[in-house]
Amino acid sequence: MTPRRRLLTTVLAALLAVSAPAGASAAPAFPDTVPLPDGWLPEGIATGTGTTIYSGSRADGSIWKGDLRTGLGEVLVDVDGRVAVGLKVDRGLLLVAGGPTGDAYVYDARTGGEVAVLDLTDEPSFINDVTVTREAAWFTDSQSAVLHRVALGPGGAPTGEVRDVPLTGDWEQVAGFNANGIASTPDGGTLLVINSTTGILYTVDPATGEAVAVDTGGADLTAGDGILLSGRTLYVVRNRLNEIVELRMSPDLLSATPVDTLTDPDFDVPTTIALHGSRLYAVNARFGTPPTPGTEYDIVRVDGR
């Protein structure tokens, strides 16, 4: 390029930059909160493809699908007589823990079409949360010392095989809510489960159900609800404490170092969390607020993420 052409190119670029609207090339900011339908009674959230996020309703089991970039969304699964608690998206499917129904539900994450209804147990139960490995979906039961294992086929759809895996070893079952949030290592070789009442975090061998208490370095994890494992970082939501504890897990997952305690002025009893890139999102269950058809609920982009 000649010196004259180089100069003209530089001047033209400068003129275009000056004439362009401020921020025109910047991506739209993600909102701090994403509103859910009034009276929704949320508990679980999960991120999907792109900027998609899902939230389930404890009121009737319906599923809402929204966009984290725009903050807009609509009801994807409109049902009644069900309960939706913990959620996970995997291989185009949305897996839902059914709370006191003893069931789990599987929907097409794009269309909302029903794929399966899974009868996990006929005993008194609270099917609370779910994590997914390549071969199985694992559901916690807050009223029983057991994990419910649902076998998955090559495409991720349930095969219909449901098996109970008793929690043994160090596991301590107490009065009140017990097994709650659950996460899996990427290879599916180890599960992590939090006991809400005792605040004890466990590793669980999925082959045997043997639980080993994790040394969390003195971190208080009582009221532990949803958990999320990202690399060696584990996030534990302490719902009524309005905080998320960040832990650095050891390579063998048997110990952890407290790193930070995340809070947000928009928290109102957060229960579960999801990641979108480096952004951490939590849903406000608002357990202390009497629910009405007009009660407002939202999803919060956690400050500092």
Side-chain angles (χ1 to χ4, degrees):
M1 182 181 294
T2 65
R4 177 179 175 80
R5 180 172 295 181
R6 184 180 297 111
L7 177 61
L8 290 174
T9 300
T10 302
V11 171
L12 179 59
L15 289 173
L16 288 173
V18 170
S19 62
S25 61
F30 284 64
D32 286 335
T33 60
V34 175
L36 294 167
D38 289 351
W40 188 247
L41 288 177
E43 202 278 346
I45 56 170
T47 47
T49 58
T51 54
T52 302
I53 193 163
Y54 301 84
S55 172
S57 169
R58 290 179 286 120
D60 58 14
S62 294
I63 306 295
W64 177 89
K65 179 181 180 181
D67 189 295
L68 292 172
R69 187 181 296 277
T70 65
L72 303 177
E74 60 184 3
V75 175
L76 175 70
V77 178
D78 191 359
V79 292
D80 198 10
R82 297 181 178 180
V83 174
V85 195
L87 312 177
K88 280 294 181 296
V89 176
D90 181 75
R91 286 168 278 185
L93 297 177
L94 180 65
L95 296 94
V96 182
T101 67
D103 294 335
Y105 311 102
V106 184
Y107 303 104
D108 185 299
R110 183 179 63 84
T111 68
E114 184 176 289
V115 174
V117 177
L118 304 166
D119 181 10
L120 301 183
T121 180
D122 295 325
E123 299 296 324
S125 61
F126 194 92
I127 310 304
N128 205 331
D129 203 359
V130 55
T131 193
V132 181
T133 66
R134 179 154 296 278
E135 297 180 347
W138 294 87
F139 293 86
T140 57
D141 188 335
S142 296
Q143 294 190 12
S144 299
V146 65
L147 297 179
H148 302 287
R149 182 188 188 275
V150 176
L152 302 179
T159 65
E161 178 191 343
V162 178
R163 177 167 60 89
D164 289 351
V165 178
L167 291 166
T168 62
D170 293 343
W171 183 263
E172 181 184 2
Q173 190 79 4
V174 298
F177 254 39
N178 286 266
N180 195 332
I182 185 170
S184 171
T185 54
D187 65 359
T190 302
L191 305 175
L192 287 165
V193 179
I194 185 72
N195 186 307
S196 289
T197 299
T198 66
I200 299 175
L201 176 70
Y202 297 89
T203 64
V204 178
D205 184 335
T208 65
E210 182 179 5
V212 178
V214 176
D215 178 1
T216 55
D220 188 351
L221 303 180
T222 52
D225 203 320
I227 66 175
L228 188 152
L229 182 65
S230 176
R232 286 175 55 191
T233 299
L234 181 74
Y235 300 98
V236 180
V237 182
R238 302 183 71 201
N239 49 35
R240 294 185 185 273
L241 282 300
N242 286 309
E243 65 182 36
I244 300 170
V245 177
E246 181 179 346
L247 302 169
R248 180 69 171 174
M249 303 298 297
S250 63
D252 62 5
L253 303 181
L254 295 179
S255 63
T257 302
V259 174
D260 202 357
T261 298
L262 308 177
T263 60
D264 191 290
D266 292 318
F267 279 173
D268 193 348
V269 192
T271 46
T272 58
I273 47 178
L275 272 176
H276 175 260
S278 62
R279 299 180 179 91
L280 187 65
Y281 288 86
V283 63
N284 281 324
R286 306 193 70 189
F287 286 150
T289 301
T292 71
T295 302
E296 297 179 349
Y297 297 94
D298 58 11
I299 296 169
V300 177
R301 180 166 62 90
V302 181
D303 280 355
R305 301 303 306 169

